[in-house]
Structures are given as structure tokens and as C-alpha cells.
Amino acid sequence: MSPLPPTADSQPTGGRQRSAKVFWSQFVYIATGNPVTLIAFSLFLLIVTVAIFGPSLAPFDPLASDAANALQPPSWKHWFGTDNVGRDVFSRVLVATRLDLLISITAVAISFVVGGFLGMLAGYYGGWWDRLVGRMVDTIMAFPLFVLAMGIVAAAGNTVENIVYATAIINVPFYARVARAEVNVRRNAGYVLAAKLAGNSDIRVMALHVFPNALPPMMVQVSLNMGWAILNAAGLSFIGLGVQPPTAEWGIMVAEGANYIVSGEWWMAIFPGAALMLAVFTFNLMGDGLRDLVDPQRRT
Amino acid sequence: MSGSRLAIVGHRLLQAVPSVIGIIVVTFLLTRALPGDPAAYFAGPAANEESIAQIRAQLGLDKTLPEQFWVYVVDLLAGDLGTSLTTGQEVTDDILRRLPASLELTLAALIFSIGVALPLGIMAALRENSWIDHLCRVVVTAGVSLPTFFTGLFLLYIFYYLLGLAPAPLGRLNILYLSPEPVTGLYTIDSLIAGDFDTFWASFTQLVLPAVTLGLFSLAPIARMTRAAMLQVLGGEFVRTARAAGLSRRTVVITYALRNAILPVITTLGMVFSFMLGANVLVEKVFAWPGIGSYAIEALIASDYAAVQGFVLTMAILFVILNLFIDIIYTLVDPRVGIDA
Amino acid sequence: MKRRDFVKGAGGAALGASALSFLKVLPAEAAGKDSTAVVVIGDTINSLDIHRSGTSRPSYQVAVNCYDRLVAFDTKTLADGSLSYDYEKVRPELAESWTVAPDGMSITFKLKPDAKFQDGTQVTAEDVKWSLDRAVSVGGFPTVQMKAGSLEKPEQFVVVDKMTFRIDLLRKSKLTIPDLAVPVPFIINSKLAKKHATEKDPWAREYLHRNVAGSGAYSVERWNPGQQLVYTRNDNWVGGKLPGVKRVIVREVPSLSTRRALIERGDIHMSYQIPGKDAKEIKAGGKATVIGTPVENAINVLGVNFNFEPFKDPKVRQAVAFAVPYEEIFQTAAYGRGVRMWGGKSMTPETPVWPQPFPYDTNYDKAKDLLSQTAFKDGFKVPISINMGLADWQEPTALLLQEGLAKIGIETNIEKIPGAGYRTAALVEKRLPLHIDTFGGWLNYPCYYFFWSYMKGHLFNSSNYDNPAVDQLVNESLHMETSNPEYAKKVMKMFEYAWADLPRIALWQPVLEVAHRGDLEGYEYHFHRVLDARKFSIKA
């Protein structure tokens, strides 16, 4: 699990293992070595582009209903057809990309930061910090994840913020555990002791020297969690605890469209479902690629 | 040796206690935070402020939060989870009645999952980096990328509505059949015990689609872990020795490699169960499966606080027990592994 | 049912699985008198006792199918050939005849001598008194419903002799006799119930919650809460012609698409209460028969709360009424199935018929004009609240409404509230500024409708409407005979107020739709909108 040996800049700024150049060549090597990873990264780029430019690319207003043209199958005018109040499905799918990406990135970012911070405290100081964080993490992990998310959103009310918070909370344990383990292993390493002796405060040592080493394994988790966060939001929508109408979000579009499959209007559910699957698929595959990138010894 | 094993197991059990306490507290807070006023619901459609206040006192909801918590814990210890608003029954009865359905579904999904993922993982490991390996990876990742309810509805549409191959999604058993004498509560097992093959086949066919839907999601973690673990083991010394000694491929792979690779796979089961117990909810709604999951959805929407409480508690405690079980199996199987991770 | 019972059986109320083992496979294709009908519903039956607090509406069907009342509404055939209850004619059910006293202040009923409960004992006046006493004493919805027919105190119910029963009236009212035909005043086997009553539970609530002690057309063979209810025919029923099927299985299937798949594949006999879209498409597809009956005395409305500042100005309310895209909503949410309730010609009604179209329609210019004459000409923000349990028609309605209101500068957001919470927020707390609601009066009189939804402080008046003139009109007309010429005048005056003051803006009159397999006959529509299986039969 150790990174590449340090290059020329192994100064007391410590922790920086490779220069950007090395990182980039490593990246290219990984990406081209495994075709699946390359596809994953390209798709990710596509998704991010759509998320950024989505609303301007959409041919119709995703919220504009057109009752006379409800439930139209895909055509040249409406590539993905229209839904039960006449809204253009293609525009909604495009615009939803931004929301879903935002939900997953925000949720994962929060749990990454909070989990990482708590884990770091637990791993570095040990003692009752460790016990406190450990108990908290155990309690969260004691619930089947979706059940806890359901409970939190039901109790707090189904707004986008609460969905993000609920997803963030249930993901904290992963990051906390990893951060704790990594920090724990390294806290007595030579360079850390040296930094402390040099007069750096605990916080500085943790943030600049120890934590960056803990980053790599956590990064891998990030990608997987992002896919899971989107699926979580979709599941909540299906049982009625998701975003409110008329917001365009993949999960709720699939949930609502599901009712129309039996009556033959398949496009309402299939297209957002495909978009959802593509995004989650990309994140999952990217997770593999990130793992390979970050740790050559653990390539699968 | 067994003495220390027992000590390890006992130690593990003790470690689970704080989790259980945490679960009880969190569940209580969650359900008290649910929107909606159960007193108003109970008081009925024509109630006014006065009768609602009366009912609230009856239900004990006018006490302070710590008082309510105390009552809650005391009731819990007596096995009383309250009465459900939506079904009108005792929550404990509801849950005990519906739990076997969820358990049967989860078990069937697990068997399906392991049965498909294990061979896939082994195959991928044996033919590392070949097109088979990549294909497995893609297929398995696809399974984990779709929302469970979507897969369920899709399979339902194809196999029931279009092809008519699957039976009507009316729950565990076709209405023509009466459920078998309950021994385990699992219809498939009970009907076999009773020697009733018609009912067995009927309950089995009802189980197929929901179990596959639920199991599809767990293919990925199990297959990946199997592959990774197998790769690691296959590169080890003792496997090389076995091969050099001329043992058949089959023996090497199954008897030697798999036996050792199985350990990390067992640890992924914890995560798999966590997912399954949660996704139960979605699958049960799609297939009208009368388990705990569908019970929970109705309860959540209706802010049926007692039922939600019972559901969350049950799931969490079930999960703790399952994890304990996995940990215990792990330590029993591999004496090298210490308890402190 | 105690926890032990779980181990003994898969949860049966009356009989255990073992007693039915000889019926391992029910003959599915048996037609005629011994057949079994299978019906699916989307909601849950949570009690067998309509008097219990917290009993859900779908549970009322047990009171309808398994219990009798003194009288019942007769049946009529509608234009499309389907059966419906006849709100104008009441016929004997447990009472073979009744006479009104010369002074009109009491009614004496003679019970049918051959009326027996399902356990074989005779139905007596004692049982009738105990049952009606219970209905007016348990509180909550049943007691309020009894009040509507001026049935308020146990003292009104008198046992004259074993087979004769008298009700003393507090006032003469046209609503008393019809109110005896609604599900609430059902006749319970008081001897059996009293055996299970205790000091703390004198009305045998615990027992009747899970057991049926009635004389009705069916008994409950098996109740698995949350899953199914199985009715078995009572061959000694005297309340009407015996049902044509031996058994009815009511299965609870929460998913809409699953219910639709089931009826389209013909795996079940009936899917009860289907949404407009499915009704329209199944009918067109021809795989099942669809019957849609307009629900009289019911309207789907937009509630405008007088507690909300902008809505205190009548011009604002009228502006809203002109900004509703009525036809679009009707087509998109109701799929064109229902009766249009807008486009009336004048602000004064010409007939005392209710419901009738309100004198408003979609006219954005007029709406903008009206709004500009108020203090809110720059618009305002308001949430539209809908009932999540009825989202299939309320959500499209709200979405289109949102667009219509946006055109005149009113900004809205949609608030979805789960079913149980919605009733509380809308009806008890009356705190929703703009909400979509539906109310159907069980007794088909306009005064009855206005009594519930336009009188100050009454339950279904979710708009906090307070008009003493209307209150007085309702009180005067409620017990008046419809043949009285004053009645029509008062009722039309009420309509005028309703249209001018607009606490409720009518959208459309809903339709109750069911889909059934070709071989099932005997579906009868009732105002209570729950399943009545007593006329079912299956063609060979």
C-alpha cells in the first residue's frame, strides 16, 4: 500500500510523493492499459459536460407542460418522447444530469470531509476520541443503509438538502474507518515525528503530513459512493420520499415512468433509467480505474 | 483452543451491545421526528381539537421526550412495540407475521447471488485480463448500476406481462393454494417438509423474479472480491507447490485456492446483507411481496410511528445479528485472524 | 390475536389453515354457485369494525358485505346497463316494514321473523338497540354520521318487543331514514359481542375489531391484515337475494401497474377503483370491461383558504378561478372521464341540482384584470398542497395549475403531503392556503353537501369559510323535505353564495371506475365507494 518512492522534492513539506508530471504519465499509462477504464473516464467527461451545459442544450423547457401532446412516443421533434403532462423527456433527462451529479458530489464531498476529519482525529489521538468516533460509526453502520436514509428523509422532510444529508450521513463510516486506519498506521512514522519535533502543531502535522497519505484509498471509495448516492436518491423517489415535483431528477422520472410501462409508454422510464445506469456504471468503472491509478500493487 | 474461541465469541457479543443501545436511541429519535400527528389520525376523520388532545394523552404523546423514551424502552423490554395505525394490529404481531416472507426472499436472493457470482469471479480470475474477464466485469457492474425497482419492473414486464412465463405478482403464493403448515415460515421449505410438491413449485415460481431482482445487485461485490481474492491466492507459494506436485487443475482451484480465497468473500457478505435488507423494501413494493419492506413503506407514508419504529429496530437488530454471525464464522473458519481489526 | 397464534397459523381470523386442507386447490374455473371471485384493491383493510377509531375507508366494505342494517337503498339500472344504488328509494333489509307515527315524531320497525345472525341466533330488537347505541356512543366519525340523520342519543332507541323496534325523533328530518341505510348503523349480534365485552371495553371493541358478528350476506372466512380478506357466502341471509358466488377473495396489491397487469391478463375478476388513464386505455384495449359511474354529490375542488391574506379579497379568489386551465386539467388528470364543472352561464342558478358547473372558465385576461384591481396586482407566492395518496390525479392537476397561475403572476410550489398528514392539515387544522381536495356527501342532497363543507367550523370546510347567511340556510333546509317549495329556493341561494364567495373552486365531478373480467356480473355502485360484492355472479 505504500506509494512510489519520493522524488527529488522530499522536503519537510512531506507527504507529496510524486510531482504532477509523474502523476500524469502514470494516469495515461493506466488509462490506455485498460480499455474499460478509458471508456469510463471518457464517459465521465461526457457526463460532466452535460451537467455543466445541460440547461442550455435542452431543446425544450423541462418544466413546460403541454397537455395536448402528452404521452407521445419518441419522434424527431421529441427524441425521448413526452411524459404524462406533455413535457419533453429528453430535455428533462439532460437537465436532471446536473441535479443528480450535484446531489452525488455534494453528498460524497460532505461525507468525505466529515468522515475523513473524524477518522483522522480518531486515528491520531486515539483514546476517547477513538472510542467516541468508533461508537458513532458503529451505530450508523448498524442500520441497513437504505433503511437509515429512509428514516432520516421521512423524519426531516423530503427536500433535496435532506436527501443529500441523509446520503452523506450513511456514507461517513466508510471514510472515517479508512482515514482512521491510515492515520493510525502512520502517526508514529519517522517524518511525522520529525515534523512534530520541528515545532509544527498537531493540526498542521495531521493536515499536511499524515492526511495526504490517507487520501488515496479514500479516493477510490469516492467514485463508488457517487454512483451509490444517485441510486439512493432514485430509490427514495420510488417510495415517495424523493425530490418534489416538478423537479427533473432521474430517479423520480424512473419512479413515475414505472407506472406507465405496463400501459406501453416505455420511454418515460427507460430513457432516464438508461441515463441513470450509464452514470452509475461510469462511476463504478472509474472506481476501478482510480484504484489502479492510486495503487499499482492493488490493481484488480 | 475452544476456550479462547468461546471467549472471542463472547467478546464479540459484548461489543455488539453498545451498537444495539445506539440503535434504540436513534430509532426513537427518528420516529419522534416523523411528520404528521398520530393522535389526529387515531382520533378519526371527524375529530376536533378536544378529542385529539384526549387521544394524544391516551397514546402517551403528551409526555416529555425523556419520559416517552423511558416508556418506550420499558415497553421494548416487554416485547411491546405498540399498535400500528395502518393495519390496526400489534406491531410485534405484524412484524413476526411478515418477517419470514422477507427472510425467504433475502435468502433466495443470496443463494442466487453466490451461485452466479462465485463461478464468475473464479472464471475471471483464472482468465485474468482476457475478454471474458472484461465481459464479467461489465456485466456485473451493469447489475449494480440500475436501481433495484427498475430492474424488478423491467423483469416483470418482460417475463410476466409480455411472455407470461412468470406467475402473477400477487405475493408469495398463488391464491389457488393455501400456505403450507408453518415450520420455518418459509413456504418453499415448509412445503417440502410437508411433501407437497405442488405448493412447493407454486411458491418457488413466485419467488424467482423477486429473488433475481434483489440478487442482481450483489453480484458485483461478491464477484469482484472472489476474483481479487482468487488472484491473490493463485499467485501464492502453496498453489505453485500444488501445481508443481502435479495435482489436477480442479483440485488446485477448488480445494486449495478457493478454500483460502473464501475468507475475504465472507467479509463482503456483511455489506451485501446491508444492501439487501434495505433493497427488500423496493423489491417488495414492486412484487406485492408481503414482507417487512412493504409494511415499512406504508408505515412511512402514513407516519405510522409505531410501525416505523418496529421496522427500523427489527432491521437494525437483524443486521447486527447477521454481522455477528459472519464475524463468528470468520473467526471459527480462520484461527489466524485476530479479533481487533 | 396474541403472539402465540403466529406460530400456529399464517394468520387466520376465524379458521386456521388446517381446517381447509381438504380444499388444497380451489377450483379456479368452477362457475355458477360454487365459484370464487378474486378482486384486487390498492388500499389496506385495517379493521373489521367501522366504529373503531382509525378504521380506514376501504375497511368499510366489511360493514357493507358482512352486516345488515334496518333498511337499504334499492337498486336501479343506469343508462350504460350497470347497477347503482337508488338514493330515492329505500327498501327493507332487516326490517320487513316500518310505519311513521301520525305526529311524525317516531318510526316503528317490524323485524323480519326469519332474520338470523351467522351463528344461527335470531335477530331481535335488543340487538338493534345495542348496535345503534354503540354507533352514537363510540364518538368520532360514526357518531357524527349518525347525527346527520338526527340520531343522537341512546334514549331515542326503544325496544317495543322482541321483534318491534322504535326510534323517537328529535326533529322531523328527511335524512333520518336514508341515514339508517349508510354503512354506519349496522346490526351486531349483541349477545355474542357482550360475551366478549369487559368492564373496560363495554362495546366489545377488541373482539369486533377482528371478528364479524353479523347477519350479512358474507362471513369473513379469513383475514390476513395487509394481504387479503376472504368472504364466504352466508346461505341463511334474508337481507336480499343470495350472492351468486360462494367465495370472494379481496387481495391487497399496492402497485398500480401490477393491478393493471393482472386485470389485463385476466388473472383476476376485478380491479376495484382504477385511475382514469387505466380506465380509458383498458376500455379501448378491450381486454376487460370498464364501468365508470359519476359519484353524485361529489366534486374535485381547489380549496382557497380565507385565512391566507391575499385570499381574503374576493377579487383575488375570482382571479384564481379564471386562471385555472380547466379543460387541460380535465384531459390530463382525469383523462376526460368525469363531468365538467366549469363554464356555467350565470352567477344565479336556475335549478336546484347539485353539483352543477360553476360560472367560471379559463380566461387569463379577465383574471389579470381582476387581480390588477386588488392590492396584490404584482402577484404573490403560495404553496399548492396535494394529497400524496391521491397523487395520480392531484399531481398533474397541481402541475397544470402551477402554470396557469404563473401566467397571472402568482408563484407557486407544489407540496406533497402523505395521506394521513393531509387530512389533519387540511381538515382538522385547516391550515393549507391553496389545496386540492375532494369530498362526496353520502346522502345525495345539496343541503347535506353544504352542511359538511360550507358551514363554519365543519370538518370538510377546509377553507375556513364563515358566512352566517349560508349557515342559516343550511340549518333551515337540512331537515326540510325536498318537496317543500322553499327547499329549492334556499338551496339555490346557497349555490349563489358558493359561486360568489368561492371558498371552493370546482374542477370536475369524479367518476368511480372499476375494471372486471367478462365473466363477472353484478357489480353495484354505491355512494360509499367501497366494494359491494353481494350481487356478484360468474357466468359459466
Side-chain angles (χ1 to χ4, degrees), chain A residues 229-285:
Chain A
I230 299 183
L231 286 175
N232 196 37
L236 288 171
S237 299
F238 186 64
I239 55 177
L241 291 172
V243 301
Q244 299 279 29
T247 325
E249 190 262 321
W250 287 330
I252 198 160
M253 289 168 70
V254 175
E256 287 176 352
N259 286 327
Y260 292 87
I261 292 184
V262 168
S263 49
E265 287 100 5
W266 52 272
W267 55 90
M268 279 182 68
I270 294 283
F271 288 115
L276 209 152
M277 180 180 157
L278 201 66
V280 178
F281 193 64
T282 307
F283 290 135
N284 284 337
L285 286 183

Side-chain angles (χ1 to χ4, degrees), chain C residues 352 477 480-492:
Chain C
S477 58
M480 201 183 268
E481 290 296 325
T482 50
S483 49
N484 187 329
E486 281 301 301
Y487 182 73
K489 279 197 221 147
K490 290 192 196 292
V491 153
M492 289 198 286

Side-chain angles (χ1 to χ4, degrees), chain C residues 224-521:
Chain C
N224 304 109
Q227 268 182 269
Q228 66 178 359
L229 187 84
V230 182
Y231 295 116
T232 302
R233 182 175 61 218
N234 169 19
D235 289 317
N236 295 322
W237 188 44
V238 302
K241 190 159 160 244
L242 280 184
V245 298
K246 175 122 174 65
R247 189 181 271 111
V248 181
I249 300 178
V250 179
R251 202 70 175 218
E252 297 174 18
V253 176
S255 164
L256 249 178
S257 357
T258 311
R259 295 207 294 280
R260 175 160 172 174
L262 286 168
I263 188 69
E264 283 195 308
R265 285 190 58 87
D267 282 335
I268 52 171
H269 290 100
M270 172 180 280
S271 177
Y272 190 79
Q273 195 146 24
I274 59 180
K277 173 175 194 284
D278 289 352
K280 188 166 161 196
E281 291 172 4
I282 295 177
K283 193 171 182 142
K287 289 193 193 139
T289 315
V290 174
I291 302 181
T293 322
V295 185
E296 346 76 345
N297 216 8
I299 323 179
N300 288 344
V301 299
L302 181 64
V304 185
N305 200 329
F306 281 39
N307 278 358
F308 185 67
E309 197 56 43
F311 292 149
K312 290 192 169 137
D313 186 340
K315 291 214 167 108
V316 175
R317 302 195 297 270
Q318 290 185 344
V320 170
F322 280 111
V324 176
Y326 293 103
E327 184 67 32
E328 275 192 319
I329 290 178
F330 186 62
Q331 292 301 336
T332 313
Y335 291 87
R337 295 179 72 83
V339 181
R340 293 174 172 79
M341 280 293 137
W342 68 90
K345 296 288 170 261
S346 107
M347 293 295 284
T348 39
E350 289 169 26
T351 62
V353 167
W354 184 261
Q356 59 173 287
F358 280 32
Y360 297 92
D361 65 42
T362 313
N363 188 335
Y364 295 110
D365 292 326
K366 202 160 177 183
K368 276 187 242 180
D369 183 46
L370 277 164
L371 199 61
S372 65
Q373 297 172 26
T374 70
F376 300 96
K377 54 181 176 296
D378 296 323
F380 53 90
K381 275 174 133 151
V382 63
I384 303 179
S385 312
I386 65 174
N387 182 342
M388 205 153 93
L390 298 173
D392 64 281
W393 62 268
Q394 289 197 359
E395 202 173 309
T397 307
L399 284 165
L400 290 168
L401 190 61
Q402 190 174 43
E403 289 198 2
L405 290 177
K407 293 203 176 106
I408 63 171
I410 301 179
E411 212 183 298
T412 56
N413 64 295
I414 299 180
E415 194 185 51
K416 257 164 128 168
I417 307 180
Y422 191 81
R423 271 202 94 111
T424 310
L427 303 180
V428 180
E429 295 168 9
K430 304 191 197 291
R431 62 170 174 84
L432 302 177
L434 193 61
H435 53 280
I436 299 181
D437 212 351
T438 176
F439 166 68
W442 272 6
L443 301 179
N444 193 11
Y445 302 99
C447 52
Y448 187 77
Y449 187 95
F450 274 75
F451 172 78
W452 282 109
S453 42
Y454 281 88
M455 277 191 76
K456 175 180 174 174
H458 278 209
L459 186 66
F460 292 94
N461 179 356
S462 50
S463 308
N464 289 303
Y465 182 54
D466 178 7
N467 187 335
V470 170
D471 288 359
Q472 189 181 2
L473 285 167
V474 172
N475 281 324
E476 287 168 1
S477 58
L478 194 59
H479 304 293
M480 201 183 268
E481 290 296 325
T482 50
S483 49
N484 187 329
E486 281 301 301
Y487 182 73
K489 279 197 221 147
K490 290 192 196 292
V491 153
M492 289 198 286
K493 193 87 192 112
M494 294 193 305
F495 298 175
E496 256 190 78
Y497 279 116
W499 293 347
D501 295 338
L502 280 182
R504 298 161 83 84
I505 300 175
L507 298 173
W508 76 92
Q509 181 182 11
V511 175
L512 176 63
E513 318 247 29
V514 304
H516 68 83
R517 208 163 80 174
D519 56 348
L520 181 75
E521 288 180 332

Side-chain angles (χ1 to χ4, degrees), chain C residues 106-297:
Chain C
S106 70
I107 313 176
T108 306
F109 296 85
K110 278 204 123 36
L111 299 174
K112 287 183 181 169
D114 55 348
K116 288 204 181 17
F117 286 113
Q118 284 155 8
D119 67 350
T121 56
Q122 178 151 50
V123 179
T124 67
E126 277 293 334
D127 298 304
V128 179
K129 175 163 172 66
W130 194 82
S131 311
L132 293 184
D133 284 351
R134 189 176 196 260
V136 301
S137 311
V138 285
F141 160 68
T143 302
V144 178
Q145 182 63 44
M146 294 293 279
K147 244 199 186 143
S150 301
L151 302 162
E152 301 176 28
K153 303 191 226 246
E155 293 79 62
Q156 292 174 258
F157 310 127
V158 179
V159 175
V160 175
D161 63 46
K162 188 158 170 238
M163 303 304 282
T164 317
F165 179 77
R166 191 180 80 230
I167 300 183
D168 293 332
L169 305 176
L170 297 173
R171 60 189 79 86
K172 285 192 242 186
S173 170
K174 64 177 183 292
L175 298 176
T176 305
I177 302 241
D179 206 27
L180 287 170
V182 305
V184 171
F186 60 96
I187 312 300
I188 307 169
N189 185 343
S190 62
K191 303 172 279 297
L192 181 55
K194 282 193 229 178
K195 263 194 247 171
H196 296 268
T198 65
E199 241 186 72
K200 275 173 117 187
D201 182 14
W203 294 114
R205 283 181 221 242
E206 275 310 304
Y207 177 71
L208 292 176
H209 169 48
R210 298 194 177 90
N211 298 277
V212 165
S215 56
Y218 290 100
S219 60
V220 169
E221 175 185 312
R222 186 176 186 150
W223 181 36
N224 304 109
Q227 268 182 269
Q228 66 178 359
L229 187 84
V230 182
Y231 295 116
T232 302
R233 182 175 61 218
N234 169 19
D235 289 317
N236 295 322
W237 188 44
V238 302
K241 190 159 160 244
L242 280 184
V245 298
K246 175 122 174 65
R247 189 181 271 111
V248 181
I249 300 178
V250 179
R251 202 70 175 218
E252 297 174 18
V253 176
S255 164
L256 249 178
S257 357
T258 311
R259 295 207 294 280
R260 175 160 172 174
L262 286 168
I263 188 69
E264 283 195 308
R265 285 190 58 87
D267 282 335
I268 52 171
H269 290 100
M270 172 180 280
S271 177
Y272 190 79
Q273 195 146 24
I274 59 180
K277 173 175 194 284
D278 289 352
K280 188 166 161 196
E281 291 172 4
I282 295 177
K283 193 171 182 142
K287 289 193 193 139
T289 315
V290 174
I291 302 181
T293 322
V295 185
E296 346 76 345
N297 216 8

Side-chain angles (χ1 to χ4, degrees), chain A residues 5-16:
Chain A
T7 57
D9 39 330
S10 51
Q11 307 291 312
T13 55
R16 301 287 127 93

Side-chain angles (χ1 to χ4, degrees), chain C residues 18-52:
Chain C
S18 49
L20 297 162
S21 51
F22 68 95
L23 279 175
K24 196 187 72 168
V25 177
L26 301 171
E29 301 314 314
K33 295 228 86 190
D34 286 330
S35 47
T36 301
V38 181
V39 179
V40 292
I41 60 176
D43 312 290
T44 294
I45 295 174
N46 70 351
S47 175
L48 302 183
D49 181 7
I50 197 177
H51 290 171
R52 186 174 196 267

Side-chain angles (χ1 to χ4, degrees), chain B residues 50-107:
Chain B
E50 205 188 291
S51 37
I52 294 182
Q54 249 179 2
I55 306 268
R56 186 169 293 126
Q58 256 178 31
L59 291 174
L61 291 173
D62 54 344
K63 303 203 184 80
T64 63
L65 222 53
E67 273 181 339
Q68 285 189 44
F69 183 66
W70 178 246
V71 171
Y72 163 69
V73 172
V74 167
D75 281 343
L76 206 60
L77 290 172
D80 175 11
L81 285 166
T83 312
S84 161
L85 297 173
T86 41
T87 65
Q89 313 292 317
E90 305 263 315
V91 173
T92 326
D93 286 337
D94 276 336
I95 290 185
L96 283 177
R97 191 190 352 250
R98 302 182 84 129
L99 199 52
S102 294
L103 284 178
E104 189 174 20
L105 178 59
T106 311
L107 243 111

